[in-house]
Amino acid sequence: EAGVAQSPRYKIIEKRQSVAFWCNPISGHATLYWYQQILGQGPKLLIQFQNNGVVDDSQLPKDRFSAERLKGVDSTLKIQPAKLEDSAVYLCASSAATSGDDDTQYFGPGTRLTVL
Amino acid sequence: GQQLNQSPQSMFIQEGEDVSMNCTSSSIFNTWLWYKQDPGEGPVLLIALYKAGELTSNGRLTAQFGITRKDSFLNISASIPSDVGIYFCAGQQQGGSEKLVFGKGMKLTVNP
């Protein structure tokens, strides 16, 4: 079974530029998550989708971050314009069930963003 | 926001030694999870705990869900070089597909 795919793996941009990340979840997984992991910290949820609807975006800085999952499969996360403090690894995760007790989140390898 | 306090932040041990780490919270969680993250990779689930007081093993790993629902620990026995990495605790208040709240991680170094 293929895992969660993310691209690009690395991205270097200057502040005030725009950047987009792409995620392809595990086939059939209804729920998709974007996490931000700053160096030396644990991942922090930015946004959670169930199919193509947003479940939780309470920690997404909506003035500069946006995300979409138009067909309920792939997702893109965009930052516009980027700030220095956005330097982090952006992790995508997916899980199978829409509810239930055993619902493992599988993580992709992440995109490492450096803002100069 | 919610925070998990994970300790220690790092450990240096000799191959063959045991290591323990724990995680505490000011909030109650109904699910506790332990993940390992290797450099350049995403976190991988090691153990999941769903009931207060539960003690679960996965090979050389043992984890417990605290009775108060506010803490958990992970023990690795007879460490080997491939145990090197960063270990994270994570909690879910409701379980299921709810978001994970992560600790800051513990960096483990194993000297052969």
Side-chain angles (χ1 to χ4, degrees):
Chain A
E1 179 181 84
V4 176
Q6 290 188 248
S7 67
R9 293 294 310 273
Y10 305 92
K11 190 73 177 179
I12 300 174
I13 62 173
E14 294 189 348
K15 61 183 179 184
R16 290 187 289 273
Q17 286 187 323
S18 301
V19 65
F21 313 127
W22 173 82
C23 173
N24 181 232
I26 292 173
S27 178
H29 278 194
T31 308
L32 185 147
Y33 315 77
W34 283 101
Y35 288 85
Q36 179 192 57
Q37 185 176 21
I38 293 172
L39 186 65
Q41 304 283 327
K44 181 186 83 172
L45 182 76
L46 292 175
I47 189 167
Q48 176 182 344
F49 292 94
Q50 184 170 303
N51 296 309
N52 60 351
V54 175
V55 174
D56 184 350
D57 64 356
S58 57
Q59 298 188 94
L60 185 74
K62 298 180 185 65
D63 57 334
R64 297 183 302 106
F65 285 65
S66 64
E68 59 184 13
R69 194 185 185 200
L70 291 175
K71 296 182 179 179
V73 181
D74 294 4
S75 177
T76 55
L77 176 69
K78 296 178 182 177
I79 308 175
Q80 180 180 7
K83 292 185 176 181
L84 296 176
E85 58 261 35
D86 298 332
S87 294
V89 175
Y90 290 84
L91 293 163
C92 180
S94 69
S95 63
T98 55
S99 64
D101 292 329
D102 186 8
D103 194 11
T104 301
Q105 293 184 28
Y106 295 90
F107 286 82
T111 296
R112 181 177 295 278
L113 174 67
T114 302
V115 182
L116 303 176
Chain B
Q2 295 168 322
Q3 284 189 325
L4 296 183
N5 300 308
Q6 189 171 350
S7 65
Q9 293 184 354
S10 63
M11 285 202 72
F12 297 81
I13 62 173
Q14 295 296 126
E15 183 176 358
E17 291 183 338
D18 298 349
V19 60
S20 290
M21 62 198 84
N22 72 343
C23 206
T24 60
S25 170
S26 57
S27 304
I28 289 174
F29 286 92
N30 286 317
T31 301
W32 282 92
L33 305 142
W34 287 92
Y35 282 82
K36 182 186 179 213
Q37 187 173 28
D38 292 327
E41 301 295 329
V44 175
L45 182 65
L46 299 174
I47 288 184
L49 302 155
Y50 301 106
K51 287 173 126 175
E54 179 182 0
L55 184 71
T56 297
S57 292
N58 179 9
R60 294 179 295 106
L61 277 62
T62 302
Q64 184 156 31
F65 189 149
I67 287 290
T68 65
R69 297 180 178 268
K70 293 183 178 181
D71 64 314
S72 177
F73 80 76
L74 175 71
N75 181 74
I76 304 172
S77 63
S79 60
I80 58 178
S82 62
D83 290 335
V84 166
I86 302 177
Y87 291 80
F88 290 97
C89 60
Q92 287 178 309
Q93 290 200 310
Q94 300 299 329
S97 58
E98 191 196 11
K99 71 178 181 186
L100 299 171
V101 178
F102 282 86
K104 290 188 175 182
M106 190 213 77
K107 184 175 182 180
L108 178 64
T109 302
V110 180
N111 296 317

